[in-house]
Amino acid sequence: QVQLVESGGGLVQAGGSLTLSCAASGRTFSRYAMGWFRQAPGKEREFVASITRYGGRTYYADSVKGRFTISRDNAENTVYLQMNSLKPEDTAVYYCAASTEGPSIKSSLYDDWGQGTQVTVSS
């Protein structure tokens, strides 16, 4: 099991940027592929981005491709989500998650989750 703590959320105007961080503790961080998901009010949790154990490959939802960048620093046990050109529809609680199954888009394949951080984009 790995413990995950997200940070970096906040309120930003449309077109602005934010960087989310997710700090991991517990098991060896490099054992896990990592993902970011988000959940807006009244909507289901959706995949945002994922990254392989050593960062060699990344995957993105079509809605964020070209605007968001996922990265990780295994020495710091941290995964990041750089978010640029933010839109009001990006408003959600953002969660990071760890998977031993690989960088899946399916939330059910992630074993451990953080508590989430709120991102609000004003128009």
Side-chain angles (χ1 to χ4, degrees):
Q1 186 177 9
V2 62
Q3 291 76 46
L4 303 171
V5 179
E6 301 97 335
S7 61
L11 174 63
V12 64
Q13 289 188 333
S17 298
L18 280 175
T19 299
L20 305 183
S21 300
C22 173
S25 61
R27 304 290 296 273
T28 304
F29 184 59
S30 60
R31 294 183 57 179
Y32 298 89
M34 298 297 296
W36 285 97
F37 291 78
R38 65 187 183 187
Q39 188 167 18
K43 295 187 177 181
E44 293 186 353
R45 189 171 297 187
E46 65 174 0
F47 169 77
V48 175
S50 61
I51 189 167
T52 51
R53 294 186 302 153
Y54 293 96
R57 293 186 180 181
T58 57
Y59 304 88
Y60 298 93
D62 287 344
S63 59
V64 307
K65 201 171 294 182
R67 300 188 297 122
F68 290 11
T69 302
I70 187 172
S71 61
R72 67 189 294 162
D73 184 340
N74 286 353
E76 296 294 329
N77 292 345
T78 301
V79 62
Y80 303 96
L81 186 68
Q82 172 69 44
M83 305 185 295
N84 298 326
S85 302
L86 283 161
K87 305 175 181 180
E89 51 263 44
D90 294 319
T91 295
V93 177
Y94 283 71
Y95 300 89
C96 70
S99 172
T100 56
E101 301 290 336
S104 176
I105 66 171
K106 297 180 179 181
S107 61
S108 60
L109 295 183
Y110 288 80
D111 307 295
D112 300 298
W113 293 79
Q115 82 290 347
T117 186
Q118 176 70 46
V119 171
T120 303
V121 184
S122 62
S123 57

